[in-house]
Amino acid sequence: MPLLGCIADDFTGATDLANTLVRGGMSAVQVIGVPDAPLPQADAVVIALKSRTAPVQQAVAESLAACEALLAEGARQIFFKYCSTFDSTDQGNIGPVADALVRRLDCGFALANPAFPTNGRTVYQGHLFVGAQLLNESGMQDHPLTPMRDANLVRVLGRQTDGAVGLVPFATVEQGASAIRRAMTVLKESGRRYAVVDAVTDTHLLAIGEAAEHHALITGGSGVAMGLPANFRRAGLLPERGDAAVLPPMRGHAVVLAGSCSRATLGQIGLARNHVPVLELDALALPDAAALAAQALEWAAGRLGETPLVIAASAPPDRVAALQARLGREAAGALVEQAMAAIAEGLVARGVGRLVVAGGETSGAVVARLGVKALRIGPEIDPGVPWTYAEPVGLHLALKSGNFGGRDFFLKAFGA
Ligand code: ADP
């Protein structure tokens, strides 16, 4: 029975939240999409949707279906996770999804807090900052799908809901959990459906988490989830200290698949070249997914063994631009993603048990091809990137957004 049931509006956000909870001592599983089977066992289950920019109706329907699945398994508290930059438009989807969850849980009230001080996201007097900039001057005002042109979250959320939105200001948050709890009660009793809560430091987030101990619904970024494991511990539902990041023992051959062309990934490939065999696929010379996959699998066949291998489609910007000019941007991306997915499938069939995938879109393609339904979250390799155990495939998988990780990430992942 999960203690905490989470609904995340995108895939990497879900991993981020699950990882935060594991570091707090809760075991966590990330489920991909609305589940069609019983949920895996864990202290926290995070259902990863792709609802951030989906049509409003669809986002609401999928979020409610996820909520239903979590409640059916006995989840004691529901967490609606969105981006720390509050990615949304005046139509949604944060407000409409939260409204539907408030109604379903019949709780009448929820706090809203996207702050993530470690990554520079703070909320002061209801205004969201990215580093030293207001949200609407941070570059987010030009986001292609969710341009954020107002930093005042009380107004932003207010435009997305027919409920009233209040604020628990910095001065109250500074006073700690009891003061925050009292302020939220006053707002709820005065008819507010939501309270945006200021938070500038992790200490604030921990106090907010404590104040929300008995809330049926919490909405926010992964930061505000930091305070939740302590609530379950205080209630005697979670052991005092235990390692929540335990995965089945690692086995099988080890491979890195890199489909990201981000600077960090190019650097990681560069360093790996000095230590392990690296195959650089040339999608420009061989623009055919099946042929690229065949080439990679043939190369790997004689080399799978003690040392990890790296297979990279990654290329510097001029080569990427050349392939895009020839095929079009979408087709170029899809070609490489399909090649990497086919390689992953072939590698697993050949006994690979530990796979690192570099690139967000690339990871999505690999996970879909392998039929992964859930990821059990294990120990972190680098901040924000944990080892996971993919079910029902039975594979250790690390999914890395292109720009994440230090230069030695690939070597570190395999302890090489
Ligand atoms: P990141 O996390 O760095 O954004 P993604 O995997 O999300 O990485 O995106 C990288 C995109 O670039 C994918 O669509 C991938 O297929 C594509 N790609 C990878 N290698 C090449 C290449 N050599 N030429 C063109 N596109 C490429």
Side-chain angles (χ1 to χ4, degrees):
M1 184 192 294
L3 300 171
L4 187 67
C6 310
I7 304 159
D9 70 355
D10 89 332
F11 189 93
T12 49
T15 309
D16 179 21
L17 172 61
N19 191 48
T20 300
L21 293 167
V22 167
R23 277 186 300 155
M26 295 179 86
S27 62
V29 177
Q30 174 173 346
V31 173
I32 297 160
V34 176
D36 51 12
L39 295 174
Q41 293 293 315
D43 297 326
V45 174
V46 183
I47 298 181
L49 303 177
K50 279 195 201 166
S51 55
R52 183 168 295 168
T53 55
V56 180
Q57 301 272 0
Q58 183 188 333
V60 168
E62 287 180 3
S63 303
L64 282 174
C67 181
E68 233 38 78
L70 293 163
L71 293 175
E73 297 282 336
R76 289 163 185 261
Q77 189 169 48
I78 298 292
F79 191 102
F80 170 35
K81 157 77 173 71
Y82 40 77
C83 187
S84 61
T85 41
F86 212 79
D87 297 15
S88 54
T89 68
D90 287 352
Q91 284 67 50
N93 290 337
I94 295 175
V97 168
D99 284 346
L101 293 172
V102 166
R103 231 169 279 127
R104 170 62 186 87
L105 298 168
D106 200 19
C107 54
F109 179 86
L111 71 84
N113 187 304
F116 196 166
T118 311
N119 284 356
R121 276 69 157 156
T122 56
V123 183
Y124 180 67
Q125 305 300 354
H127 288 69
L128 179 54
F129 288 80
V130 177
Q133 263 85 44
L134 280 163
L135 178 67
N136 58 310
E137 295 169 9
S138 69
M140 278 302 294
Q141 70 272 28
D142 299 319
H143 190 285
L145 301 174
T146 52
M148 301 303 292
R149 305 217 164 102
D150 186 359
N152 183 329
L153 297 183
V154 176
R155 279 197 305 248
V156 172
L157 182 55
R159 287 193 289 267
Q160 297 178 29
T161 167
D162 55 9
V165 185
L167 173 70
V168 179
F170 178 81
T172 306
V173 174
E174 270 282 283
Q175 291 168 35
S178 310
I180 299 168
R181 193 178 299 120
R182 277 194 303 276
M184 289 195 290
T185 304
V186 168
L187 287 172
K188 182 179 180 184
E189 285 172 355
S190 69
R192 307 301 208 292
R193 190 182 299 163
Y194 299 106
V196 171
V197 186
D198 281 354
V200 177
T201 64
D202 285 351
T203 308
H204 296 148
L205 289 173
L206 292 172
I208 295 165
E210 185 182 339
E213 180 172 3
H214 299 295
H215 288 196
L217 174 68
I218 296 173
T219 85
S222 56
V224 74
M226 276 192 317
L228 304 183
N231 294 340
F232 295 114
R233 215 168 273 126
R234 255 195 317 278
L237 298 166
L238 198 65
E240 215 28 63
R241 262 292 151 210
D243 190 2
V246 190
L247 298 183
M250 297 246 184
R251 45 143 218 99
H253 305 307
V255 176
V256 174
L257 283 183
S260 161
C261 304
S262 302
R263 207 172 289 172
T265 298
L266 295 176
Q268 288 155 353
I269 297 167
L271 183 68
R273 229 182 263 125
N274 302 334
H275 300 273
V276 298
V278 176
L279 171 67
E280 303 205 45
L281 293 169
D282 189 347
L284 194 57
L286 190 62
D288 178 310
L292 286 169
Q295 185 192 357
L297 291 172
E298 192 188 346
W299 177 84
R303 291 180 175 80
L304 288 169
E306 290 305 299
T307 14
L309 305 180
V310 176
I311 299 173
S314 318
D318 56 323
R319 305 278 296 170
V320 173
L323 188 67
Q324 288 177 343
R326 190 181 308 169
L327 301 180
R329 182 187 294 264
E330 291 237 331
L335 168 85
V336 177
E337 285 164 33
Q338 287 321 308
M340 296 317 253
I343 296 168
E345 193 174 39
L347 289 172
V348 170
R350 288 162 178 74
V352 167
R354 296 170 287 159
L355 191 63
V356 171
V357 185
E361 294 299 326
T362 309
S363 293
V366 167
V367 160
R369 179 71 67 97
L370 295 179
V372 176
K373 298 262 193 239
L375 297 168
R376 195 163 285 278
I377 308 296
E380 267 183 326
I381 302 165
D382 264 343
V385 195
W387 267 117
T388 73
Y389 188 70
E391 293 166 351
V393 193
L395 171 75
H396 284 86
L397 201 53
L399 305 173
K400 186 187 84 73
S401 156
N403 261 324
F404 274 40
R407 233 171 104 72
D408 60 350
F409 183 87
F410 297 155
L411 305 172
K412 215 169 150 186
F414 297 118

PDB file of all heavy atoms in Angstrom, residues 247-260:
ATOM      1  N   LEU A 247      18.041  -1.903  -4.912  1.00  0.00           N
ATOM      2  CA  LEU A 247      17.578  -2.550  -6.143  1.00  0.00           C
ATOM      3  C   LEU A 247      18.087  -3.989  -6.161  1.00  0.00           C
ATOM      4  O   LEU A 247      19.002  -4.330  -5.415  1.00  0.00           O
ATOM      5  CB  LEU A 247      18.115  -1.804  -7.371  1.00  0.00           C
ATOM      6  CG  LEU A 247      17.689  -0.355  -7.547  1.00  0.00           C
ATOM      7  CD1 LEU A 247      18.251   0.209  -8.847  1.00  0.00           C
ATOM      8  CD2 LEU A 247      16.173  -0.221  -7.530  1.00  0.00           C
ATOM      9  N   PRO A 248      17.526  -4.847  -7.015  1.00  0.00           N
ATOM     10  CA  PRO A 248      18.097  -6.195  -7.161  1.00  0.00           C
ATOM     11  C   PRO A 248      19.563  -6.082  -7.570  1.00  0.00           C
ATOM     12  O   PRO A 248      19.978  -5.047  -8.102  1.00  0.00           O
ATOM     13  CB  PRO A 248      17.275  -6.803  -8.301  1.00  0.00           C
ATOM     14  CG  PRO A 248      16.029  -5.987  -8.379  1.00  0.00           C
ATOM     15  CD  PRO A 248      16.374  -4.619  -7.896  1.00  0.00           C
ATOM     16  N   PRO A 249      20.374  -7.134  -7.297  1.00  0.00           N
ATOM     17  CA  PRO A 249      21.796  -7.052  -7.643  1.00  0.00           C
ATOM     18  C   PRO A 249      21.996  -6.816  -9.150  1.00  0.00           C
ATOM     19  O   PRO A 249      21.229  -7.323  -9.961  1.00  0.00           O
ATOM     20  CB  PRO A 249      22.361  -8.419  -7.235  1.00  0.00           C
ATOM     21  CG  PRO A 249      21.227  -9.203  -6.676  1.00  0.00           C
ATOM     22  CD  PRO A 249      19.992  -8.409  -6.694  1.00  0.00           C
ATOM     23  N   MET A 250      23.024  -6.030  -9.477  1.00  0.00           N
ATOM     24  CA  MET A 250      23.339  -5.760 -10.884  1.00  0.00           C
ATOM     25  C   MET A 250      23.871  -7.035 -11.523  1.00  0.00           C
ATOM     26  O   MET A 250      24.618  -7.788 -10.909  1.00  0.00           O
ATOM     27  CB  MET A 250      24.420  -4.684 -10.962  1.00  0.00           C
ATOM     28  CG  MET A 250      23.992  -3.356 -10.407  1.00  0.00           C
ATOM     29  SD  MET A 250      23.913  -2.148 -11.728  1.00  0.00           S
ATOM     30  CE  MET A 250      23.519  -0.671 -10.823  1.00  0.00           C
ATOM     31  N   ARG A 251      23.493  -7.246 -12.763  1.00  0.00           N
ATOM     32  CA  ARG A 251      24.023  -8.402 -13.500  1.00  0.00           C
ATOM     33  C   ARG A 251      24.017  -8.043 -14.982  1.00  0.00           C
ATOM     34  O   ARG A 251      23.400  -7.063 -15.391  1.00  0.00           O
ATOM     35  CB  ARG A 251      23.192  -9.661 -13.254  1.00  0.00           C
ATOM     36  CG  ARG A 251      21.676  -9.450 -13.331  1.00  0.00           C
ATOM     37  CD  ARG A 251      20.934 -10.595 -13.958  1.00  0.00           C
ATOM     38  NE  ARG A 251      19.848 -10.054 -14.782  1.00  0.00           N
ATOM     39  CZ  ARG A 251      19.894  -9.890 -16.095  1.00  0.00           C
ATOM     40  NH1 ARG A 251      20.957 -10.258 -16.779  1.00  0.00           N
ATOM     41  NH2 ARG A 251      18.879  -9.357 -16.743  1.00  0.00           N
ATOM     42  N   GLY A 252      24.725  -8.858 -15.755  1.00  0.00           N
ATOM     43  CA  GLY A 252      24.688  -8.683 -17.205  1.00  0.00           C
ATOM     44  C   GLY A 252      25.695  -7.664 -17.701  1.00  0.00           C
ATOM     45  O   GLY A 252      26.338  -6.948 -16.918  1.00  0.00           O
ATOM     46  N   HIS A 253      25.835  -7.608 -19.027  1.00  0.00           N
ATOM     47  CA  HIS A 253      26.776  -6.686 -19.653  1.00  0.00           C
ATOM     48  C   HIS A 253      26.309  -5.239 -19.489  1.00  0.00           C
ATOM     49  O   HIS A 253      25.129  -4.983 -19.290  1.00  0.00           O
ATOM     50  CB  HIS A 253      26.901  -7.002 -21.143  1.00  0.00           C
ATOM     51  CG  HIS A 253      27.266  -8.425 -21.424  1.00  0.00           C
ATOM     52  ND1 HIS A 253      28.363  -9.028 -20.854  1.00  0.00           N
ATOM     53  CD2 HIS A 253      26.676  -9.359 -22.200  1.00  0.00           C
ATOM     54  CE1 HIS A 253      28.434 -10.282 -21.276  1.00  0.00           C
ATOM     55  NE2 HIS A 253      27.412 -10.518 -22.100  1.00  0.00           N
ATOM     56  N   ALA A 254      27.292  -4.326 -19.619  1.00  0.00           N
ATOM     57  CA  ALA A 254      27.007  -2.906 -19.393  1.00  0.00           C
ATOM     58  C   ALA A 254      27.250  -2.099 -20.671  1.00  0.00           C
ATOM     59  O   ALA A 254      28.301  -2.231 -21.298  1.00  0.00           O
ATOM     60  CB  ALA A 254      27.911  -2.391 -18.276  1.00  0.00           C
ATOM     61  N   VAL A 255      26.265  -1.272 -21.030  1.00  0.00           N
ATOM     62  CA  VAL A 255      26.390  -0.448 -22.236  1.00  0.00           C
ATOM     63  C   VAL A 255      25.811   0.940 -21.985  1.00  0.00           C
ATOM     64  O   VAL A 255      24.823   1.086 -21.261  1.00  0.00           O
ATOM     65  CB  VAL A 255      25.660  -1.101 -23.446  1.00  0.00           C
ATOM     66  CG1 VAL A 255      25.709  -0.208 -24.672  1.00  0.00           C
ATOM     67  CG2 VAL A 255      26.246  -2.472 -23.771  1.00  0.00           C
ATOM     68  N   VAL A 256      26.442   1.933 -22.599  1.00  0.00           N
ATOM     69  CA  VAL A 256      25.895   3.289 -22.643  1.00  0.00           C
ATOM     70  C   VAL A 256      25.375   3.542 -24.054  1.00  0.00           C
ATOM     71  O   VAL A 256      26.085   3.291 -25.029  1.00  0.00           O
ATOM     72  CB  VAL A 256      26.983   4.356 -22.351  1.00  0.00           C
ATOM     73  CG1 VAL A 256      26.424   5.762 -22.556  1.00  0.00           C
ATOM     74  CG2 VAL A 256      27.544   4.193 -20.950  1.00  0.00           C
ATOM     75  N   LEU A 257      24.149   4.038 -24.170  1.00  0.00           N
ATOM     76  CA  LEU A 257      23.606   4.464 -25.462  1.00  0.00           C
ATOM     77  C   LEU A 257      23.424   5.970 -25.405  1.00  0.00           C
ATOM     78  O   LEU A 257      22.632   6.466 -24.596  1.00  0.00           O
ATOM     79  CB  LEU A 257      22.239   3.825 -25.712  1.00  0.00           C
ATOM     80  CG  LEU A 257      22.198   2.369 -26.142  1.00  0.00           C
ATOM     81  CD1 LEU A 257      20.747   1.956 -26.399  1.00  0.00           C
ATOM     82  CD2 LEU A 257      23.024   2.181 -27.412  1.00  0.00           C
ATOM     83  N   ALA A 258      24.133   6.696 -26.252  1.00  0.00           N
ATOM     84  CA  ALA A 258      24.035   8.158 -26.218  1.00  0.00           C
ATOM     85  C   ALA A 258      23.366   8.673 -27.495  1.00  0.00           C
ATOM     86  O   ALA A 258      23.863   8.466 -28.592  1.00  0.00           O
ATOM     87  CB  ALA A 258      25.416   8.775 -26.042  1.00  0.00           C
ATOM     88  N   GLY A 259      22.209   9.307 -27.307  1.00  0.00           N
ATOM     89  CA  GLY A 259      21.501   9.915 -28.434  1.00  0.00           C
ATOM     90  C   GLY A 259      21.372  11.411 -28.230  1.00  0.00           C
ATOM     91  O   GLY A 259      20.713  12.098 -28.999  1.00  0.00           O
ATOM     92  N   SER A 260      21.989  11.903 -27.157  1.00  0.00           N
ATOM     93  CA  SER A 260      21.947  13.334 -26.881  1.00  0.00           C
ATOM     94  C   SER A 260      23.142  14.006 -27.534  1.00  0.00           C
ATOM     95  O   SER A 260      24.243  13.450 -27.559  1.00  0.00           O
ATOM     96  CB  SER A 260      22.012  13.562 -25.371  1.00  0.00           C
ATOM     97  OG  SER A 260      22.406  14.895 -25.113  1.00  0.00           O
TER      98      SER A 260
END
